Amino acid sequence: MNSKPTNIAHYHLPGLFEFYEFYKVFLPLYREHREYFFDWCDISSIYGAPSDCLWGGGRAAFGNANVKDVTALLNEYEISGRLTFSNSLLQKEYLTDKKCNRLCEIFEKTVIKNGVIVHSDLLSDYLNQNFPNLYLVSSTTKVITDFDAFLTELNRPEFKYVVPDFRLNKEFEKLSAIPVSLKDKIEFLCNECCSFTCKERKACYENVSRKNLGLDVKDHICSAPGGKDGYRFSLAMKNPGFIGVSDIQNKYLPMGFSNFKLEGRGLGSAIVLEFLLYYMTKPEYQLQVREAIYLDSMLDLF
């Protein structure tokens, strides 16, 4: 096996702007009561975007947190922030958007090194030229399901991380053959609920991209099995591509993989809490964490 075992799983969490108020409560708890949480994992980054960002993609963002408050929180807890700018339909004229450029300017000047999740090569080139201190993450919205195409993406030097399509998660024989030097670039999407046989994933993402560009389009209606039922963590756990806690500890870490992404920007912060309880919290302390969050009078989880 072409691997160098790693001991720490680095989580990349959803909702930087969308769930700012939640993280403002959760992160102090995480720091002050580290004994509540597994010692084999940490929080490496939190990703998201404010509402009304032309460059936005993946999900229609609804975050309205102040960018200075967000970056201050990231700096305080030494966590990288990532702007989710994975719109797949950008044209050259959109690159001058003042709001998105201003966000990049602010994120580039923080103490902690921040990044941008991208789909468009046009945007990747623009960011490299204009904001070279921001690292780039190749988005799973590219829906790269062919393993050779994924390897090509992984070898692109402009990306610090690449998030493969979740249907490649269990290609262990092929994954194990990846050079150790590239394994740190792979960031697995753990908790996808979308049908493993879905053929509309790219169309769904393009629909979101059109909405973020301000186009008047109807919602994408998914015809894949379970597509109309919405997200259910219990169903995600049954997905063939699901990566659970035991998988991370017993399979991925020994193989030399250390980066794991949790989706959830379009969900409520109560669901995100359930993700953090499952993936990060020791079972005997899950109630204490849940109580601390739910009993905070300033936090609306729904």
Side-chain angles (χ1 to χ4, degrees):
M1 181 181 294
N2 189 12
S3 66
K4 182 180 180 181
T6 182
N7 296 321
I8 300 296
H10 305 300
Y11 285 123
H12 305 270
L13 306 181
L16 178 58
F17 288 86
E18 297 87 342
F19 305 132
Y20 165 76
E21 295 294 336
F22 168 79
Y23 286 117
K24 195 166 67 170
V25 175
F26 178 81
L27 291 178
L29 183 68
Y30 176 71
R31 171 180 284 178
E32 294 166 13
H33 291 280
R34 196 65 180 87
E35 74 276 11
Y36 289 177
F37 303 93
F38 298 130
D39 59 6
W40 51 262
C41 65
D42 63 21
I43 301 172
S44 182
S45 77
I46 307 175
Y47 65 93
S51 58
D52 300 322
C53 283
L54 288 181
W55 298 354
R59 297 289 182 268
F62 55 88
N64 56 9
N66 181 278
V67 64
K68 292 185 178 180
D69 291 338
V70 167
T71 53
L73 187 70
L74 294 170
N75 286 334
E76 180 179 357
Y77 290 95
E78 299 181 331
I79 295 172
S80 179
R82 295 177 176 180
L83 294 166
T84 308
F85 285 165
S86 54
N87 195 305
S88 61
L89 302 176
L90 294 178
Q91 301 296 322
K92 188 174 182 179
E93 59 266 28
Y94 296 121
L95 297 180
T96 58
D97 181 77
K98 291 183 178 179
K99 181 175 183 177
C100 294
N101 276 278
R102 180 56 180 158
L103 284 166
C104 289
E105 289 175 4
I106 295 172
F107 266 61
E108 192 179 38
K109 295 177 181 178
T110 57
V111 176
I112 304 300
K113 194 171 183 63
N114 295 321
V116 184
I117 303 173
V118 294
H119 180 124
S120 166
D121 286 345
L122 182 69
L123 182 59
S124 295
D125 293 340
Y126 178 81
L127 293 172
N128 272 327
Q129 293 172 12
N130 293 276
F131 304 101
N133 291 325
L134 294 174
Y135 66 84
L136 300 184
V137 182
S138 177
S139 175
T140 191
T141 62
K142 294 180 182 180
V143 194
I144 301 175
T145 57
D146 177 79
F147 201 87
D148 288 337
F150 164 63
L151 289 178
T152 298
E153 189 77 2
L154 190 61
N155 277 282
R156 293 176 62 177
E158 64 266 39
F159 296 124
K160 183 175 181 179
Y161 300 98
V162 175
V163 185
D165 188 271
F166 71 102
R167 284 161 287 201
L168 299 181
N169 284 356
K170 301 297 178 71
E171 295 283 351
F172 292 124
E173 184 175 350
K174 295 178 180 179
L175 289 168
S176 65
I178 292 175
V180 173
S181 60
L182 292 177
K183 286 186 175 181
D184 284 342
K185 291 182 66 172
I186 301 176
E187 187 177 311
F188 292 99
L189 180 58
C190 295
N191 59 333
E192 178 57 60
C193 189
C194 185
S195 170
F196 203 76
T197 61
C198 180
K199 297 180 180 179
E200 303 175 25
R201 197 164 172 82
K202 184 170 290 188
C204 179
Y205 285 136
E206 288 181 353
N207 180 266
V208 173
S209 292
R210 291 186 179 92
K211 289 182 177 180
N212 285 333
L213 292 175
L215 303 178
D216 185 15
V217 295
K218 295 181 179 179
D219 290 339
H220 174 77
I221 306 300
C222 183
S223 61
K228 298 179 181 179
D229 298 332
Y231 188 93
R232 297 288 187 275
F233 193 27
S234 58
L235 294 179
M237 288 180 170
K238 299 176 182 178
N239 192 301
F242 179 74
I243 298 176
V245 169
S246 61
D247 297 317
I248 292 172
Q249 288 184 286
N250 301 320
K251 194 72 175 181
Y252 291 88
L253 291 180
M255 289 177 66
F257 298 107
S258 59
N259 289 290
F260 303 91
K261 179 176 182 176
L262 304 183
E263 75 167 24
R265 290 172 63 216
L267 308 175
S269 51
I271 300 299
V272 173
L273 173 59
E274 292 303 315
F275 297 158
L276 301 185
L277 291 171
Y278 172 77
Y279 281 103
M280 298 188 64
T281 311
K282 297 175 182 177
E284 63 268 29
Y285 291 113
Q286 289 183 3
L287 180 58
Q288 286 94 322
V289 174
R290 188 178 282 110
E291 286 177 335
I293 300 297
Y294 275 100
L295 294 178
D296 190 295
S297 60
M298 299 302 292
L299 187 60
D300 181 6
L301 285 177
F302 297 98

Short mmCIF file of all heavy atoms in Angstrom, two decimals, residues 15-73:
data_model
loop_
_atom_site.label_atom_id
_atom_site.label_comp_id
_atom_site.label_asym_id
_atom_site.label_seq_id
_atom_site.Cartn_x
_atom_site.Cartn_y
_atom_site.Cartn_z
N GLY A 15 -20.94 26.30 6.49
CA GLY A 15 -21.75 27.39 7.02
C GLY A 15 -21.01 28.51 7.69
O GLY A 15 -21.45 29.02 8.72
N LEU A 16 -19.92 28.97 7.12
CA LEU A 16 -19.12 30.03 7.72
C LEU A 16 -19.93 31.30 7.95
O LEU A 16 -19.87 31.90 9.02
CB LEU A 16 -17.91 30.32 6.83
CG LEU A 16 -16.97 31.44 7.28
CD1 LEU A 16 -16.43 31.16 8.67
CD2 LEU A 16 -15.84 31.61 6.27
N PHE A 17 -20.67 31.72 6.96
CA PHE A 17 -21.54 32.89 7.10
C PHE A 17 -22.95 32.47 7.50
O PHE A 17 -23.63 33.16 8.27
CB PHE A 17 -21.60 33.66 5.77
CG PHE A 17 -20.34 34.41 5.45
CD1 PHE A 17 -19.29 33.77 4.80
CD2 PHE A 17 -20.20 35.74 5.79
CE1 PHE A 17 -18.12 34.46 4.50
CE2 PHE A 17 -19.03 36.43 5.49
CZ PHE A 17 -17.99 35.78 4.84
N GLU A 18 -23.39 31.33 6.99
CA GLU A 18 -24.75 30.85 7.24
C GLU A 18 -24.98 30.52 8.71
O GLU A 18 -26.05 30.78 9.27
CB GLU A 18 -25.03 29.62 6.37
CG GLU A 18 -24.97 29.88 4.87
CD GLU A 18 -23.58 29.74 4.27
OE1 GLU A 18 -22.58 29.78 5.03
OE2 GLU A 18 -23.48 29.59 3.04
N PHE A 19 -23.97 29.95 9.37
CA PHE A 19 -24.12 29.50 10.76
C PHE A 19 -23.11 30.18 11.68
O PHE A 19 -22.64 29.58 12.65
CB PHE A 19 -23.97 27.97 10.82
CG PHE A 19 -24.90 27.23 9.91
CD1 PHE A 19 -24.42 26.22 9.09
CD2 PHE A 19 -26.24 27.55 9.83
CE1 PHE A 19 -25.27 25.54 8.23
CE2 PHE A 19 -27.11 26.88 8.98
CZ PHE A 19 -26.62 25.87 8.17
N TYR A 20 -22.82 31.42 11.39
CA TYR A 20 -21.86 32.16 12.22
C TYR A 20 -22.28 32.17 13.69
O TYR A 20 -21.45 31.94 14.59
CB TYR A 20 -21.73 33.59 11.70
CG TYR A 20 -21.06 34.54 12.67
CD1 TYR A 20 -19.68 34.50 12.87
CD2 TYR A 20 -21.81 35.44 13.41
CE1 TYR A 20 -19.06 35.36 13.77
CE2 TYR A 20 -21.21 36.31 14.32
CZ TYR A 20 -19.83 36.25 14.50
OH TYR A 20 -19.24 37.09 15.40
N GLU A 21 -23.55 32.43 13.96
CA GLU A 21 -24.02 32.50 15.36
C GLU A 21 -23.85 31.15 16.05
O GLU A 21 -23.53 31.09 17.25
CB GLU A 21 -25.47 32.94 15.40
CG GLU A 21 -25.72 34.35 14.90
CD GLU A 21 -25.07 35.41 15.79
OE1 GLU A 21 -24.85 35.12 16.98
OE2 GLU A 21 -24.80 36.53 15.30
N PHE A 22 -24.04 30.07 15.32
CA PHE A 22 -23.85 28.74 15.89
C PHE A 22 -22.38 28.52 16.25
O PHE A 22 -22.06 28.07 17.36
CB PHE A 22 -24.30 27.67 14.89
CG PHE A 22 -23.89 26.28 15.26
CD1 PHE A 22 -24.59 25.57 16.22
CD2 PHE A 22 -22.80 25.67 14.65
CE1 PHE A 22 -24.20 24.28 16.58
CE2 PHE A 22 -22.41 24.39 14.99
CZ PHE A 22 -23.11 23.69 15.96
N TYR A 23 -21.48 28.84 15.33
CA TYR A 23 -20.06 28.62 15.60
C TYR A 23 -19.55 29.54 16.71
O TYR A 23 -18.61 29.19 17.43
CB TYR A 23 -19.24 28.80 14.32
CG TYR A 23 -19.39 27.66 13.35
CD1 TYR A 23 -19.96 27.84 12.09
CD2 TYR A 23 -19.00 26.37 13.70
CE1 TYR A 23 -20.10 26.77 11.22
CE2 TYR A 23 -19.15 25.30 12.83
CZ TYR A 23 -19.70 25.51 11.59
OH TYR A 23 -19.86 24.45 10.72
N LYS A 24 -20.17 30.69 16.87
CA LYS A 24 -19.78 31.60 17.93
C LYS A 24 -20.04 30.98 19.31
O LYS A 24 -19.39 31.33 20.30
CB LYS A 24 -20.53 32.94 17.79
CG LYS A 24 -19.95 34.07 18.61
CD LYS A 24 -20.50 35.41 18.18
CE LYS A 24 -22.00 35.54 18.48
NZ LYS A 24 -22.50 36.92 18.28
N VAL A 25 -20.98 30.04 19.36
CA VAL A 25 -21.27 29.31 20.60
C VAL A 25 -20.49 28.01 20.67
O VAL A 25 -19.95 27.63 21.71
CB VAL A 25 -22.79 29.02 20.71
CG1 VAL A 25 -23.09 28.15 21.92
CG2 VAL A 25 -23.56 30.33 20.78
N PHE A 26 -20.40 27.32 19.52
CA PHE A 26 -19.76 26.00 19.52
C PHE A 26 -18.25 26.08 19.72
O PHE A 26 -17.67 25.27 20.47
CB PHE A 26 -20.07 25.27 18.21
CG PHE A 26 -19.39 23.92 18.12
CD1 PHE A 26 -19.94 22.81 18.75
CD2 PHE A 26 -18.21 23.75 17.40
CE1 PHE A 26 -19.32 21.57 18.69
CE2 PHE A 26 -17.59 22.52 17.33
CZ PHE A 26 -18.14 21.43 17.98
N LEU A 27 -17.58 27.00 19.07
CA LEU A 27 -16.12 27.04 19.13
C LEU A 27 -15.57 27.29 20.54
O LEU A 27 -14.58 26.66 20.93
CB LEU A 27 -15.58 28.06 18.13
CG LEU A 27 -15.77 27.69 16.65
CD1 LEU A 27 -15.24 28.80 15.74
CD2 LEU A 27 -15.08 26.37 16.32
N PRO A 28 -16.17 28.19 21.34
CA PRO A 28 -15.69 28.31 22.72
C PRO A 28 -15.85 27.00 23.51
O PRO A 28 -14.99 26.64 24.31
CB PRO A 28 -16.57 29.42 23.30
CG PRO A 28 -16.99 30.22 22.13
CD PRO A 28 -17.16 29.22 21.02
N LEU A 29 -16.95 26.32 23.26
CA LEU A 29 -17.17 25.03 23.93
C LEU A 29 -16.11 24.03 23.51
O LEU A 29 -15.57 23.28 24.33
CB LEU A 29 -18.57 24.51 23.58
CG LEU A 29 -19.01 23.20 24.24
CD1 LEU A 29 -19.19 23.39 25.73
CD2 LEU A 29 -20.30 22.70 23.60
N TYR A 30 -15.80 24.02 22.23
CA TYR A 30 -14.79 23.12 21.69
C TYR A 30 -13.41 23.40 22.29
O TYR A 30 -12.64 22.48 22.58
CB TYR A 30 -14.76 23.27 20.16
CG TYR A 30 -13.70 22.46 19.45
CD1 TYR A 30 -13.80 21.07 19.36
CD2 TYR A 30 -12.61 23.09 18.86
CE1 TYR A 30 -12.83 20.33 18.70
CE2 TYR A 30 -11.64 22.35 18.20
CZ TYR A 30 -11.76 20.97 18.12
OH TYR A 30 -10.79 20.25 17.48
N ARG A 31 -13.10 24.67 22.50
CA ARG A 31 -11.80 25.03 23.07
C ARG A 31 -11.75 24.76 24.58
O ARG A 31 -10.77 24.21 25.09
CB ARG A 31 -11.50 26.50 22.80
CG ARG A 31 -10.27 27.02 23.54
CD ARG A 31 -10.01 28.48 23.24
NE ARG A 31 -9.42 28.66 21.91
CZ ARG A 31 -9.12 29.85 21.39
NH1 ARG A 31 -9.38 30.95 22.08
NH2 ARG A 31 -8.59 29.94 20.19
N GLU A 32 -12.80 25.14 25.29
CA GLU A 32 -12.78 25.07 26.75
C GLU A 32 -13.00 23.65 27.29
O GLU A 32 -12.59 23.35 28.42
CB GLU A 32 -13.84 26.01 27.32
CG GLU A 32 -13.55 27.48 27.04
CD GLU A 32 -14.75 28.38 27.30
OE1 GLU A 32 -15.72 27.88 27.93
OE2 GLU A 32 -14.72 29.54 26.87
N HIS A 33 -13.64 22.81 26.48
CA HIS A 33 -13.91 21.44 26.92
C HIS A 33 -13.42 20.46 25.86
O HIS A 33 -14.18 19.65 25.35
CB HIS A 33 -15.41 21.24 27.17
CG HIS A 33 -15.91 22.00 28.36
ND1 HIS A 33 -15.74 21.55 29.66
CD2 HIS A 33 -16.56 23.19 28.44
CE1 HIS A 33 -16.26 22.43 30.49
NE2 HIS A 33 -16.77 23.43 29.78
N ARG A 34 -12.13 20.55 25.59
CA ARG A 34 -11.56 19.67 24.56
C ARG A 34 -11.71 18.20 24.93
O ARG A 34 -11.70 17.33 24.04
CB ARG A 34 -10.08 20.03 24.36
CG ARG A 34 -9.46 19.47 23.09
CD ARG A 34 -10.08 20.07 21.84
NE ARG A 34 -9.47 19.53 20.62
CZ ARG A 34 -9.86 18.41 20.01
NH1 ARG A 34 -10.87 17.71 20.53
NH2 ARG A 34 -9.27 17.99 18.92
N GLU A 35 -11.88 17.93 26.23
CA GLU A 35 -12.06 16.54 26.66
C GLU A 35 -13.38 15.94 26.19
O GLU A 35 -13.54 14.72 26.18
CB GLU A 35 -11.98 16.45 28.20
CG GLU A 35 -13.19 16.97 28.95
CD GLU A 35 -13.18 18.48 29.19
OE1 GLU A 35 -12.31 19.17 28.58
OE2 GLU A 35 -14.02 18.97 29.97
N TYR A 36 -14.32 16.78 25.75
CA TYR A 36 -15.58 16.29 25.21
C TYR A 36 -15.41 15.65 23.83
O TYR A 36 -16.25 14.87 23.39
CB TYR A 36 -16.60 17.43 25.06
CG TYR A 36 -17.15 18.00 26.34
CD1 TYR A 36 -18.03 19.09 26.28
CD2 TYR A 36 -16.83 17.50 27.59
CE1 TYR A 36 -18.56 19.65 27.43
CE2 TYR A 36 -17.35 18.06 28.75
CZ TYR A 36 -18.22 19.13 28.66
OH TYR A 36 -18.75 19.68 29.80
N PHE A 37 -14.32 16.01 23.15
CA PHE A 37 -14.18 15.69 21.74
C PHE A 37 -13.03 14.71 21.50
O PHE A 37 -12.08 14.64 22.27
CB PHE A 37 -13.97 16.98 20.94
CG PHE A 37 -15.07 17.99 21.14
CD1 PHE A 37 -14.96 18.97 22.11
CD2 PHE A 37 -16.23 17.93 20.39
CE1 PHE A 37 -15.98 19.89 22.32
CE2 PHE A 37 -17.26 18.84 20.58
CZ PHE A 37 -17.14 19.82 21.55
N PHE A 38 -13.14 13.95 20.42
CA PHE A 38 -12.10 12.99 20.07
C PHE A 38 -10.76 13.72 19.91
O PHE A 38 -10.70 14.80 19.33
CB PHE A 38 -12.44 12.28 18.75
CG PHE A 38 -13.71 11.47 18.80
CD1 PHE A 38 -14.69 11.63 17.82
CD2 PHE A 38 -13.92 10.53 19.79
CE1 PHE A 38 -15.85 10.87 17.84
CE2 PHE A 38 -15.08 9.77 19.82
CZ PHE A 38 -16.05 9.94 18.84
N ASP A 39 -9.70 13.08 20.40
CA ASP A 39 -8.38 13.70 20.29
C ASP A 39 -7.70 13.40 18.96
O ASP A 39 -6.60 13.89 18.69
CB ASP A 39 -7.48 13.26 21.45
CG ASP A 39 -7.28 11.76 21.52
OD1 ASP A 39 -7.74 11.04 20.61
OD2 ASP A 39 -6.67 11.28 22.50
N TRP A 40 -8.36 12.61 18.11
CA TRP A 40 -7.77 12.26 16.81
C TRP A 40 -8.31 13.13 15.67
O TRP A 40 -8.06 12.84 14.49
CB TRP A 40 -7.99 10.78 16.48
CG TRP A 40 -9.41 10.30 16.61
CD1 TRP A 40 -9.97 9.66 17.67
CD2 TRP A 40 -10.45 10.44 15.63
NE1 TRP A 40 -11.30 9.38 17.43
CE2 TRP A 40 -11.61 9.86 16.19
CE3 TRP A 40 -10.51 11.00 14.35
CZ2 TRP A 40 -12.84 9.82 15.51
CZ3 TRP A 40 -11.73 10.97 13.67
CH2 TRP A 40 -12.87 10.38 14.25
N CYS A 41 -9.00 14.21 16.00
CA CYS A 41 -9.53 15.08 14.94
C CYS A 41 -9.46 16.54 15.37
O CYS A 41 -9.33 16.86 16.56
CB CYS A 41 -10.97 14.70 14.58
SG CYS A 41 -12.16 14.93 15.93
N ASP A 42 -9.54 17.43 14.39
CA ASP A 42 -9.60 18.85 14.68
C ASP A 42 -10.42 19.55 13.60
O ASP A 42 -10.89 18.92 12.64
CB ASP A 42 -8.20 19.46 14.79
CG ASP A 42 -7.38 19.38 13.50
OD1 ASP A 42 -7.97 19.23 12.40
OD2 ASP A 42 -6.13 19.46 13.58
N ILE A 43 -10.61 20.85 13.77
CA ILE A 43 -11.32 21.67 12.78
C ILE A 43 -10.28 22.44 11.99
O ILE A 43 -9.59 23.30 12.52
CB ILE A 43 -12.30 22.64 13.46
CG1 ILE A 43 -13.34 21.88 14.30
CG2 ILE A 43 -12.99 23.52 12.42
CD1 ILE A 43 -14.22 22.78 15.15
N SER A 44 -10.17 22.12 10.71
CA SER A 44 -9.16 22.76 9.87
C SER A 44 -9.71 24.01 9.17
O SER A 44 -8.99 25.00 9.04
CB SER A 44 -8.65 21.77 8.82
OG SER A 44 -7.64 22.35 8.04
N SER A 45 -10.96 23.94 8.73
CA SER A 45 -11.53 25.10 8.05
C SER A 45 -13.04 25.09 8.18
O SER A 45 -13.65 24.07 8.50
CB SER A 45 -11.14 25.12 6.57
OG SER A 45 -11.91 24.18 5.82
N ILE A 46 -13.62 26.26 7.93
CA ILE A 46 -15.08 26.41 7.83
C ILE A 46 -15.34 27.17 6.53
O ILE A 46 -14.68 28.17 6.24
CB ILE A 46 -15.68 27.17 9.01
CG1 ILE A 46 -15.25 26.53 10.35
CG2 ILE A 46 -17.21 27.19 8.93
CD1 ILE A 46 -15.71 27.30 11.58
N TYR A 47 -16.27 26.67 5.74
CA TYR A 47 -16.50 27.26 4.41
C TYR A 47 -17.92 27.79 4.28
O TYR A 47 -18.83 27.39 5.02
CB TYR A 47 -16.23 26.22 3.32
CG TYR A 47 -17.18 25.03 3.32
CD1 TYR A 47 -18.35 25.03 2.55
CD2 TYR A 47 -16.92 23.91 4.10
CE1 TYR A 47 -19.21 23.95 2.56
CE2 TYR A 47 -17.77 22.82 4.12
CZ TYR A 47 -18.92 22.85 3.34
OH TYR A 47 -19.79 21.77 3.36
N GLY A 48 -18.10 28.70 3.35
CA GLY A 48 -19.43 29.26 3.10
C GLY A 48 -19.32 30.58 2.34
O GLY A 48 -18.25 30.97 1.89
N ALA A 49 -20.44 31.26 2.22
CA ALA A 49 -20.48 32.54 1.51
C ALA A 49 -21.70 33.34 1.96
O ALA A 49 -22.72 32.75 2.35
CB ALA A 49 -20.54 32.32 -0.01
N PRO A 50 -21.60 34.66 1.91
CA PRO A 50 -22.78 35.48 2.21
C PRO A 50 -23.83 35.32 1.11
O PRO A 50 -23.53 34.81 0.02
CB PRO A 50 -22.22 36.90 2.22
CG PRO A 50 -20.74 36.78 2.25
CD PRO A 50 -20.42 35.47 1.60
N SER A 51 -25.01 35.77 1.38
CA SER A 51 -26.05 35.75 0.37
C SER A 51 -25.72 36.75 -0.74
O SER A 51 -24.92 37.67 -0.56
CB SER A 51 -27.41 36.11 0.99
OG SER A 51 -27.35 37.39 1.60
N ASP A 52 -26.30 36.53 -1.91
CA ASP A 52 -26.17 37.45 -3.04
C ASP A 52 -24.73 37.60 -3.54
O ASP A 52 -24.28 38.71 -3.85
CB ASP A 52 -26.74 38.83 -2.69
CG ASP A 52 -28.21 38.76 -2.32
OD1 ASP A 52 -28.94 37.97 -2.94
OD2 ASP A 52 -28.61 39.47 -1.38
N CYS A 53 -24.01 36.49 -3.62
CA CYS A 53 -22.68 36.51 -4.22
C CYS A 53 -22.75 35.92 -5.62
O CYS A 53 -23.11 34.75 -5.79
CB CYS A 53 -21.70 35.69 -3.37
SG CYS A 53 -21.14 36.50 -1.88
N LEU A 54 -22.39 36.72 -6.61
CA LEU A 54 -22.44 36.24 -7.99
C LEU A 54 -21.56 35.02 -8.20
O LEU A 54 -21.88 34.12 -8.98
CB LEU A 54 -21.99 37.34 -8.95
CG LEU A 54 -22.92 38.53 -9.17
CD1 LEU A 54 -22.30 39.50 -10.17
CD2 LEU A 54 -24.28 38.08 -9.67
N TRP A 55 -20.44 34.97 -7.50
CA TRP A 55 -19.51 33.86 -7.68
C TRP A 55 -19.91 32.62 -6.88
O TRP A 55 -19.27 31.59 -6.97
CB TRP A 55 -18.10 34.28 -7.24
CG TRP A 55 -17.51 35.41 -8.02
CD1 TRP A 55 -18.04 36.03 -9.14
CD2 TRP A 55 -16.27 36.08 -7.74
NE1 TRP A 55 -17.21 37.02 -9.57
CE2 TRP A 55 -16.11 37.09 -8.73
CE3 TRP A 55 -15.29 35.93 -6.77
CZ2 TRP A 55 -15.00 37.93 -8.76
CZ3 TRP A 55 -14.18 36.77 -6.78
CH2 TRP A 55 -14.04 37.76 -7.77
N GLY A 56 -20.96 32.73 -6.09
CA GLY A 56 -21.36 31.63 -5.22
C GLY A 56 -21.86 30.43 -6.00
O GLY A 56 -22.35 30.54 -7.13
N GLY A 57 -21.74 29.27 -5.39
CA GLY A 57 -22.20 28.04 -6.03
C GLY A 57 -22.38 26.94 -5.01
O GLY A 57 -22.21 27.14 -3.81
N GLY A 58 -22.74 25.77 -5.50
CA GLY A 58 -22.95 24.63 -4.62
C GLY A 58 -24.33 24.64 -4.00
O GLY A 58 -25.16 23.78 -4.25
N ARG A 59 -24.58 25.63 -3.19
CA ARG A 59 -25.88 25.86 -2.57
C ARG A 59 -26.19 27.35 -2.65
O ARG A 59 -25.28 28.18 -2.70
CB ARG A 59 -25.89 25.43 -1.10
CG ARG A 59 -25.66 23.93 -0.88
CD ARG A 59 -26.87 23.12 -1.33
NE ARG A 59 -26.66 21.69 -1.07
CZ ARG A 59 -26.14 20.84 -1.94
NH1 ARG A 59 -25.74 21.28 -3.12
NH2 ARG A 59 -26.02 19.56 -1.64
N ALA A 60 -27.48 27.68 -2.67
CA ALA A 60 -27.87 29.09 -2.64
C ALA A 60 -27.64 29.60 -1.22
O ALA A 60 -28.33 29.20 -0.29
CB ALA A 60 -29.34 29.24 -3.04
N ALA A 61 -26.63 30.45 -1.03
CA ALA A 61 -26.24 30.90 0.29
C ALA A 61 -27.28 31.84 0.88
O ALA A 61 -27.94 32.60 0.16
CB ALA A 61 -24.88 31.58 0.23
N PHE A 62 -27.42 31.79 2.21
CA PHE A 62 -28.36 32.68 2.88
C PHE A 62 -27.70 33.38 4.06
O PHE A 62 -28.37 34.00 4.88
CB PHE A 62 -29.59 31.89 3.37
CG PHE A 62 -29.24 30.71 4.25
CD1 PHE A 62 -29.10 30.85 5.61
CD2 PHE A 62 -29.05 29.46 3.68
CE1 PHE A 62 -28.78 29.76 6.40
CE2 PHE A 62 -28.74 28.36 4.47
CZ PHE A 62 -28.60 28.51 5.84
N GLY A 63 -26.38 33.29 4.16
CA GLY A 63 -25.68 33.89 5.29
C GLY A 63 -25.67 35.40 5.23
O GLY A 63 -25.49 35.99 4.17
N ASN A 64 -25.86 36.03 6.40
CA ASN A 64 -25.85 37.50 6.46
C ASN A 64 -24.92 38.02 7.55
O ASN A 64 -25.04 39.17 7.97
CB ASN A 64 -27.26 38.05 6.66
CG ASN A 64 -27.93 37.48 7.90
OD1 ASN A 64 -27.28 36.80 8.71
ND2 ASN A 64 -29.21 37.76 8.07
N ALA A 65 -24.01 37.17 8.02
CA ALA A 65 -23.08 37.61 9.06
C ALA A 65 -22.11 38.64 8.50
O ALA A 65 -21.75 38.62 7.33
CB ALA A 65 -22.31 36.41 9.61
N ASN A 66 -21.69 39.54 9.35
CA ASN A 66 -20.73 40.58 8.97
C ASN A 66 -19.37 39.96 8.72
O ASN A 66 -18.87 39.17 9.53
CB ASN A 66 -20.65 41.62 10.08
CG ASN A 66 -19.69 42.74 9.76
OD1 ASN A 66 -18.48 42.60 9.93
ND2 ASN A 66 -20.22 43.84 9.27
N VAL A 67 -18.75 40.30 7.60
CA VAL A 67 -17.49 39.67 7.21
C VAL A 67 -16.38 39.93 8.23
O VAL A 67 -15.54 39.05 8.50
CB VAL A 67 -17.06 40.11 5.79
CG1 VAL A 67 -16.78 41.60 5.74
CG2 VAL A 67 -15.84 39.32 5.33
N LYS A 68 -16.37 41.09 8.85
CA LYS A 68 -15.34 41.38 9.85
C LYS A 68 -15.54 40.54 11.11
O LYS A 68 -14.57 40.11 11.74
CB LYS A 68 -15.32 42.87 10.17
CG LYS A 68 -14.85 43.73 8.99
CD LYS A 68 -14.74 45.20 9.37
CE LYS A 68 -14.22 46.02 8.19
NZ LYS A 68 -14.11 47.46 8.53
N ASP A 69 -16.79 40.29 11.47
CA ASP A 69 -17.07 39.41 12.61
C ASP A 69 -16.63 37.99 12.30
O ASP A 69 -16.07 37.30 13.15
CB ASP A 69 -18.56 39.43 12.94
CG ASP A 69 -19.04 40.75 13.51
OD1 ASP A 69 -18.19 41.51 14.03
OD2 ASP A 69 -20.24 41.04 13.41
N VAL A 70 -16.89 37.57 11.08
CA VAL A 70 -16.52 36.21 10.66
C VAL A 70 -15.02 36.02 10.70
O VAL A 70 -14.52 35.04 11.25
CB VAL A 70 -17.08 35.92 9.25
CG1 VAL A 70 -16.46 34.66 8.67
CG2 VAL A 70 -18.60 35.78 9.30
N THR A 71 -14.28 36.96 10.11
CA THR A 71 -12.82 36.81 10.08
C THR A 71 -12.22 36.94 11.47
O THR A 71 -11.21 36.29 11.79
CB THR A 71 -12.18 37.83 9.13
OG1 THR A 71 -12.63 39.15 9.46
CG2 THR A 71 -12.56 37.53 7.68
N ALA A 72 -12.83 37.74 12.32
CA ALA A 72 -12.35 37.85 13.70
C ALA A 72 -12.51 36.52 14.44
O ALA A 72 -11.62 36.12 15.20
CB ALA A 72 -13.10 38.96 14.44
N LEU A 73 -13.62 35.84 14.20
CA LEU A 73 -13.85 34.54 14.83
C LEU A 73 -12.83 33.52 14.35
O LEU A 73 -12.27 32.74 15.14
CB LEU A 73 -15.27 34.06 14.52
CG LEU A 73 -15.72 32.78 15.24
CD1 LEU A 73 -15.91 33.05 16.73
CD2 LEU A 73 -17.02 32.25 14.63
#
